[in-house]
Amino acid sequence: MATNNNIKETIFIPLENVDSEHCALIVEKGLAEVKGVETHKVEVNNRRAAITVKGNETVGNAVKAIKDLGYNVPTVKNTFPVLGMTCASCAGSAESIVTYELGVVDASVNFATGNLTVEYLPNLTDANKLQKAMQAVGYDLLIVDETKQQESLEAIHAEKFKKLKNKTIWAVLLSLPVVTIGMFFMDMPYGNEIMWFFSTPVVLWLGKDFFINAWKQTKNRSANMDTLVALSTGIAYLFSVFNMLFMDFWHQRGLHAHVYFEAAAVVIAFILLGKLLEEKAKGNTSSAIKKLMGLQPKTVMVIQSDGTEKQIAIENVNVGDIILVKPGEKIAVDGMVTSGNSYVDESMLSGEPVPVLKTENEKVFAGTINQKGSFQFKAVKVGKETMLAQIIKMVQDAQGSKAPVQKLVDKIAGIFVPIVISIAILTFIVWIVLGGENAVAQALLAAVTVLVIACPCALGLATPTAIMVGVGKGAENGILIKDAESLELARKVTAIVLDKTGTITEGRPQVTGVKWLNNNDVTKDILISIEKQSEHPLAEAVVKNFESIPNVVLTHFDSITGKGAKAIYMDETYYVGNKKLLAENNITIDSTLLDQADAWGKESKTVIWFANSKQALSVIAISDKIKETSVEAIKHLQGMGIELYMLTGDNEATAKAIAEQTGIKHYKAEVMPQHKADFVKELQQQGKVVAMVGDGINDSTALATADVSIAMGKGSDIAMDVAKMTIISSDLNKIPQAIRLSKQTVATIKQNLFWAFIYNLIGIPLAAGILYPINGFLLNPMIAGAAMALSSVSVVSNSLRLKWKK
């Protein structure tokens, strides 16, 4: 259980690097300045600090103080899915429960992702203790093996959505006859009984979760939208049952016994519909972690000491093992090549489309894909130490971190709920004191009317209906939006970080120029035939460029590692490769070809030479083309006052050339994945609202770190899963459209909230009877129910207007 704030606790904090009394004095001085630490002592021999505190929140501050001094505290940081949350205030409640648990250093619950990110001292608590603390207040933690966690969570969410959909359909169907009778056929025979019959399953069966959650909140001394829904529908329902069974109670007092079954049933139906829309808007839980883990093969082929091959599970690989990688296989762990060579596709790490040649003593990384050759490598980093594992962890941490913008609706609801309850109670008391002979009846009527008119069904629909229309409109325009938060925040973006490959450029090497010395079909066919047999990744671009079927037969084809290839045709040797290959074979180069090659080199294009045994016959330029729409989109974004930054793993010359051609003023070259995320954080620390646009696995960490993440649809599945927005066509022009859509949607949400509250602001005083002393007007709960329904209709209608905006 959580620590009581009035009880002093002695906490032992394990220390690292505190090896002398001098270090101990520094730590003690630091602890003395931490508010809430009453006594402190550093035990050098035991490598720990003993502190006495009141309340566990001080422990986190103490740990942070020690780390700020340059010493380390061994803590455990984990991410767990939280089950049982229904709104953002639940996230706050769950977060506070974990934060006050003994030994927790830091905790954050992200309602959008449904995850708890927690850092704790392993000597004081563990996952099971945290789970019990959560269960005590009605929530739960999903604690399973990381590889199975995503599958379990997806199954839970799928089942939850299915149940919610069924409940909503039944609630709407059962509410229709109740509304029809309540509004138009009140005097029909057995009308009250029929409404009771249809409304009872809606309130007590389909709406039972509202009452259960409200009770859990009450036990935890808090309130949310479930509390207000439970109170209003529960009182309206019970009041209606009483009025139906004991009509004479009111008739004897000169009042008509109204029933309000339609209000109770419709409220439940509308709130369930709102929740369904919200669940749909949030979309499917990201499967990024699952797919990242899928990059690692389940088994590997290990070369044993006697030279034989043995297939073992990935979990059993040890540092120092020699692993065989065959053509097309994924590399299992980080290591160093010991024999053989091949080209390896590292695009998931570097983002660059051109596979990299790996020879002896070259590093290889887990998750990358071997091409056509075979090689052996020694395992250097395994398990959680690999680069792939680090990327997975960084994505988890970024996804689980606290959202920069909280749900506006839930913030308002946090104030709205207790105020409405207080007004209802106050109304009841005032009527009891000043109501005269019918004080009790009118007090109860007025209090119920306040709760009915203040029902937050419109409030519950205000955001999800606007989001659903906004998301739908985005999809029609090729912009897939995964959650409301990013759509809400996109309008505030002040800086956009663009990946180069696949985002600004096409993401695939293409021939951009060919210069022939003496062009003829035979020499072209020879070139294509050699490139068809070559394993070099750029050879495919050459073959695709010419799109013809050669009819020549080559002999003695030979791939020359790191230089190119050669073959013989009709006793003449032909070469395709780099300039070094030509120089080694004393091949002359005509000045026209040389000048053209130099010009292409200045444009940061890769140059390939084609020659016979005497002279160069052709020079070919290959590059990754800038998309036709990129320059236009970049100008548009800059015109909107947004700062643009380009990050790429490519070399400085290429990055500079691309930046100059597109008009981007800020760029960084040779950037690794983790550095992209660090750069995003730097911009955020400067007060900027940052959007990250990328298309590769290498961008996933930065995408998860950014305030708004946008993936290119033609990129990797991982990027699209991590990102909250996806541009299907990979056209950067869609980004300004997405920002405009964000502005329109947020404006609609604000209008919806206005309509949702205007009825309450006008209706609650009327319901309380503020006009009664003046003109004798007392609002009937039936009219209150109609006002509530009208507020919902106005909200939905206003959301639908968003469809017609340009």
Side-chain angles (χ1 to χ4, degrees), residues 135 210 458:
Q135 289 171 342
F210 295 116

Side-chain angles (χ1 to χ4, degrees), residues 63-82:
V63 171
K64 288 168 188 171
I66 294 168
K67 288 184 175 182
D68 287 343
L69 292 169
Y71 301 101
N72 192 34
V73 177
T75 59
V76 175
K77 194 170 185 180
N78 275 327
T79 300
F80 303 106
V82 182

Side-chain angles (χ1 to χ4, degrees), residues 505-578:
T505 65
E506 294 286 353
R508 55 182 182 272
Q510 292 180 327
V511 173
T512 56
V514 181
K515 179 78 173 177
W516 293 92
L517 186 62
N518 295 301
N519 188 13
N520 64 68
D521 290 339
V522 175
T523 54
K524 185 196 294 182
D525 286 350
I526 295 169
L527 168 64
I528 298 168
S529 296
I530 295 174
E531 291 289 58
K532 274 202 166 192
Q533 294 187 52
S534 174
E535 293 180 2
H536 197 283
L538 295 181
E540 187 179 351
V542 176
V543 174
K544 278 185 178 179
N545 179 71
F546 290 104
E547 292 183 346
S548 60
I549 301 172
N551 55 6
V552 299
V553 178
L554 302 175
T555 59
H556 298 89
F557 175 86
D558 185 21
S559 179
I560 306 166
T561 302
K563 297 171 187 174
K566 68 176 181 178
I568 296 175
Y569 174 70
M570 295 183 67
D571 298 326
E572 176 65 69
T573 303
Y574 290 89
Y575 300 88
V576 179
N578 55 26

Side-chain angles (χ1 to χ4, degrees), residues 88-89 404-416:
S89 60
V405 177
Q406 296 296 326
K407 301 280 185 182
L408 180 60
V409 173
D410 289 300
K411 278 187 174 181
I412 296 169
I415 304 168
F416 181 72

Side-chain angles (χ1 to χ4, degrees), residues 776-798:
F777 177 78
L778 188 62
L779 187 65
N780 191 301
M782 175 68 74
I783 299 172
M788 176 274 298
L790 183 60
S791 67
S792 300
V793 171
S794 65
V795 163
V796 176
S797 300
N798 191 53

Side-chain angles (χ1 to χ4, degrees), residues 699-748:
D699 302 316
S700 58
T701 307
L703 285 167
T705 305
D707 299 307
V708 178
S709 48
I710 305 171
M712 297 288 103
K714 294 180 181 177
S716 75
D717 290 341
I718 306 300
M720 285 184 278
D721 280 328
V722 172
K724 298 301 174 69
M725 291 188 186
T726 299
I727 307 300
I728 298 173
S729 63
S730 293
D731 181 357
L732 284 180
N733 270 321
K734 297 293 181 182
I735 296 175
Q737 290 183 25
I739 293 171
R740 283 197 298 272
L741 180 62
S742 169
K743 290 178 179 178
Q744 292 171 352
T745 305
V746 171
T748 302

Side-chain angles (χ1 to χ4, degrees), residues 663-682:
I664 293 177
K665 296 173 185 175
H666 311 286
Y667 70 91
K668 280 194 172 187
E670 299 176 6
V671 181
M672 291 298 286
Q674 61 269 33
H675 297 147
K676 289 184 180 181
D678 291 341
F679 183 73
V680 169
K681 287 178 183 175
E682 282 178 29

Side-chain angles (χ1 to χ4, degrees), residues 3 18 50 88 143 147 175-176 212 232 282 295 339 359 415 475 576 629 722 728 751:
T3 306
V18 181
I143 302 176
T147 56
S175 296
L176 285 174
I212 293 169
S232 58
K282 285 165 69 177
L295 289 172
S339 65
T359 57
I415 304 168
V576 179
T629 56
V722 172
I728 298 173
Q751 292 162 9

